[in-house]
Amino acid sequence: MIRPPHLPSPDKILTLEDLTVSFDGFKALDGLTLSVDRGELRCIIGPNGAGKTTMMDVVTGKTRPDHGSAWFAQDVDLLALSEPEIAQAGIGRKFQKPTVFESLTVFENLELAIWGDKSFWKDLVARLTRAQRQHIDDILDVIGLTSERAALAGALAHGQKQWLEIGMLLMQEPELLLVDEPVAGMTPQETARTVELLLSLAAEHSLIVVEHDMDFVRSIARRVTVLHEGRVLADGNMDQVQNDPRVVEVYLGA
Amino acid sequence: MSGVRRWTMIEHDRAGAVFLALIAAVAIAAPVLNQLVPASSPFHLSTYSLTLIGKYMCYAMLALAVDLIWGYAGILSLGHAAFFALGGYAMGMYLMRQIGPRGVYGDPILPDFMVFLNWQKLPWFWTGFNHFWFALVAIAAVPAALALVFGWFAFRSRVTGVYFSIMTQALSYALMLAFFRNDMGFGGNNGFTDFKDILGFDLHADRTRVVLVVVTAAALAASYLACRVIVSSRAGRLFRAIRDAESRARFLGYRVESYKLWVFVVSAVLAGIAGALYVPQVGIINPSEFAPINSIEAVIWVAVGGRGTLFGAAMGAVLVNYAKTYFTGALPELWLYALGALFVLVTLFLPHGLAGLGRRRRRAVQAGAAVPAIWVLGSHVGVSLGNKLK
Amino acid sequence: MLGELGEASFVEKEAIVERLSARGDPSIRPLLSALLEDRLIVRQSDQRVFIVKSADDSLASLELIDPVSLAGAGSASRDDLTRIGTNNRLRKRLRALVARFDLSNPDAAVRLAAVQEILRSLDAESLELLRSRSAVEPNAGVKAEIEIGMGLASLDSGDSRARLAAIAALTRTLSPQVRNRLAALVEPTADGGFAEPDELVRQAAARAVRAIDRWRAFYGVVETLFFGLSVGSVLVLVAVGLAITFGVMGVINMAHGELMMLGAYTTYVMQLAMPNHIGVSILLAVPAAFLVAGATGVILERTIIRFLYGRPLETLLATFGVSLVLQQLVRSLFSANNRSVETPAWMSGTLQMNGALSITVNRLCIIAFTLVVFAILLIVLKRTRLGLDIRAVSQNRAMAQAMGIRTGWVDAMTFGLGSGIAGIAGVALSQFTNVGPNLGQSYIIDSFMVVVFGGVGNLWGTLVGGLSMGVVHQLLEPYAGAVLAKILVLVALIVFIQRWPRGLFPQTGRAAESQT
């Protein structure tokens, strides 16, 4: 295990240092350094191509950086783990496009997301325990899809799919949730419902939310980080960031 | 999409029950029509027909094996005939040892082809094959081992989709080349043939054939049930999930590679058993069983019948092979055209196979197929009756 | 004197023949070669000696030629003629005598053969003949052959300095004949001594043998490399069309082999159409095969493949069906048997670079041809409008469409291009493999291997991958045999894919990952 230059402090849930990722000469991340506190709800914004999705890819193990370090909690080196291992370590990610399993029902989707050791032979004979069923019902309640439990996930409305995906994330009891553009394509009612959902989650989890919708960010954000060209451009609460001249020039426009 | 999928998911059980009933009917009718009904009757099942039925059922098993990984786990193997052939060769090795001193050269230990090559003793990998239980173990273990090794390498490095398919094709091609070599100790391009008996029962006797047919029917039913258990379990749901969104499944913590590997191994074992039952019924095994075209034909059986439906795959196997038997008998020149056209038409117009047709179309196809089927059956019975009455 | 040949014994015949040749008259040569070929006869009716045109015994009547004037002399029935027989010794002598005459033949190849013949039965007289010929011989190859011959003869000379000089001269040649002769010098004899009495000469011979062996080994490697490159060139030709359709369109074309087969059959048909101009027919077959295969490819694309975009596995199956239909079509039209395609004269033969390295011309042509085709392909892709469109569509279809590129047309053209190249590969294949309906099946797996190895969608990857696979296969073959070598290459590839699943030169970036 490679020791970082200095130990990440204990109240940080995520520490990224000097991450660099290039694709065919194009630098998606260019020495990105940021950290997120435990229990925080952080919003990451930035123009397209700023590196937000790539950053999440690195954290979840989908992409390996050319150099830099990424630490989860105090002692989990994310760069040394595989995707499933990272998922099992307590990081959950919700993708931009809702990727639920369309040919399974809502209930089955959540069932598959059950936390625990997974292997082919065990799953051949696995049956849900009462406690597990209860857990699924609880989550269904949180995301508001109790009445849709037997519907095919492919038949859900766009917003419902997003919530289902968040629900699947929650089944894994993650410590850190990475949420990529949760309200993209949602109606205002769905957006409001999502704000409620995320805020309720923020109580017991750490959240990193990437979004473009400024109204949404304003309604949930406490601390905002602006990315640009693979690096952190500005960091602070919503007002500070909105008034930062660099941010105005690059992103928020007039 | 959801409409069709819904149908196939709910109707599964009913279709499965019908399928098992059909198998049971065959398992009962075959011995009765062959052993109890006299040869002069038009309802007598000839040895030839018995063999054909047995063959079709073995192919149906192979189709189940292919559908398990393709229709459910999204893994297209273009080399499954290799597992079929390996199981077949294992059984063949047992049968060759059983010939004993009754071979052309009369050597009690060495099969004829080894005597012909002037070999002095049995190669090490032939030991144990004079015991039936050993052969049984090999029939399952050899395909499993190959699938395990190959699959471990392939899935671990995330080789998927067409790359994987090409690799399986290359694998079966390499095996074919290897088994064609005379010095491999597997009979070279002639393979194994001239079997005498199995477990002491004469392979040429109708009674033995009938038993083999019944055993095959039982194996087919068991394979079907095994596949049903797998696809109805959580693992089965996971495979559907993997087909929908593989990275999502990975994020959920599933070691997708390990799941794919095990279902691949199970599928290989099923194929091996199918091959092992095939060989004593057709009386021969040679390296052309490894040929890539055999694997691809197995895929088309599943595509025609309907992938992801299990029973559809089995029916597809029977249908296409029946057509093949008919064509190669009556219009051999046209068979390859028909097969080629089948590939093209099924992929273009029947992406879910026959089982995936909507209710109305299905009825139409069933009606359309029933007419010539009834005509053929009727004319066959009529002709035999006519012959008897003369 | 001629008349005596009919009745003479073999010994007498030999003497007659010697006297005849001593005259040095070039008209004697046809007589001698006729005798050698059993074409000298005596006509019973008048005991005159003639040459017959044909030695065919089944003909009832044979044409006669006057042995002196070489003019036609009518014909006679076979029954009237008696052949003048020869024995081995006489024939040997005749060959040597004929060769002497051939030493001054205007054709260099004939002269070369004559020199080699003379060397087989060297005596003082012929040695002298060679020496005088060497002084005036214009052709370098023939002259070198003479030098070797004389050098070998000098090895028998009594003077050890002459022998040393001969060894020094012979070291530069690399022929196995010379090497063995030199090695024989240092062979121990039964009585404990050596074939060569002089110590210095022995050492020189041993050194010479080692030097020759080193050079031979080196050229052996070069020859293997050359063979490997030619095998690899075929692989490149065969795979590059596939790389285009797979890389650009994500289409796995299982009918690719059959498109090559169509190209090979086009060559055959061209040869049937122009039986007297084989050389030209091959040159014309190249564009013809391109058109035939390319057109077939475009038809395929428009009627079938177009509807299966984004579904690579279905495309695989559908094109497999097409391959079956094409095979059967060819079987019906041309029969299932293999057809033979001739190699034109300018592609046949061997270039003998030196005693150890011979390069077959047809292999050289294949390598050159492949490089030319590859270069043209690169130019098309990098510098033409079509190439630009193809690259745009392959990288980002939606954007290309939005910019007004007619992607449907580009797809058809891309597929046509890849198929056309397959046809051209078929022309090359027809030159050294059997042309039959199963031609495609033998090469389809190899093409896939090269594409997978080299990296999808990358032409350079295909080039490097194909050539290296050819070389590796050729290196393995002497140790493992052709079939095992193939198996080993396949297994090695499977292992290689573990570490580099996207091949040698992979496409990177998100667009590539979303494909397959």
Side-chain angles (χ1 to χ4, degrees), chain C residues 343-383:
Chain C
T343 306
W346 54 268
M347 261 181 73
S348 327
T350 317
L351 293 177
Q352 194 79 25
M353 306 297 276
N354 56 39
L357 185 61
S358 57
I359 297 192
T360 42
V361 176
N362 61 348
R363 287 182 188 271
L364 195 60
C365 284
I366 297 281
I367 297 179
F369 183 61
T370 304
L371 292 175
V372 165
V373 168
F374 189 79
I376 293 180
L377 198 56
L378 269 183
I379 293 174
V380 165
L381 280 180
K382 299 270 191 225
R383 297 219 190 276

Side-chain angles (χ1 to χ4, degrees), chain A residues 105-162:
Chain A
T105 66
V106 170
F107 188 88
E108 286 168 344
N109 268 267
L110 291 173
E111 180 200 357
L112 280 184
I114 282 177
W115 177 248
D117 209 9
K118 289 144 173 161
S119 89
F120 177 75
W121 300 105
K122 284 207 195 122
D123 278 347
L124 271 187
V125 295
R127 294 248 174 283
L128 282 175
T129 65
R130 181 166 306 172
Q132 286 173 323
R133 256 179 225 284
Q134 186 60 46
H135 188 49
I136 295 180
D137 286 335
D138 290 339
I139 302 274
L140 278 170
D141 191 37
V142 166
I143 59 177
L145 288 178
T146 312
S147 45
E148 276 84 9
R149 61 193 289 146
L152 279 185
L156 290 178
H158 175 77
Q160 290 173 315
K161 282 187 193 168
Q162 301 272 39

Side-chain angles (χ1 to χ4, degrees), chain B residues 76 78 153-154 157 159 162-163 166-167 169-170 173-174 177-178 296 299 307 333 336-337 339-340 343-344 347, chain C residues 246 254 311 313-314 316-318 320-321 324 328-329 331-332 445 448-449 456 486 490 494 497-498 501 516:
Chain B
L76 177 61
L78 292 179
F153 276 117
S157 44
V159 175
V162 285
Y163 281 102
I166 293 174
M167 283 291 130
Q169 194 183 18
Y173 183 69
L177 290 179
I296 303 184
V299 168
R307 61 187 255 218
E333 283 287 300
L336 280 180
Y337 287 124
L339 185 63
F343 271 90
V344 173
T347 46
Chain C
F246 190 18
M254 293 288 274
R311 293 152 65 186
L313 298 177
E314 271 82 352
L316 192 154
L317 292 178
F320 184 77
L324 291 179
Q328 190 61 11
L329 206 61
R331 261 185 221 115
S332 313
I445 301 225
F448 283 140
M449 293 294 102
V456 162
K486 207 176 191 82
L490 283 170
I494 292 176
I497 288 292
Q498 310 310 311
T516 315

Side-chain angles (χ1 to χ4, degrees), chain B residues 242-287:
Chain B
I242 291 175
R243 270 212 337 266
D244 285 340
E246 185 168 322
S247 4
R248 191 82 189 81
R250 228 176 246 125
F251 277 129
L252 285 179
Y254 286 95
R255 281 190 308 279
V256 166
E257 290 67 46
S258 157
Y259 281 72
K260 286 184 176 176
L261 178 64
W262 288 118
V263 78
F264 190 62
V265 168
V266 168
S267 166
V269 169
L270 286 179
I273 296 174
L277 287 168
Y278 176 84
V279 166
Q281 298 190 64
V282 300
I284 184 170
I285 176 103
N286 61 33

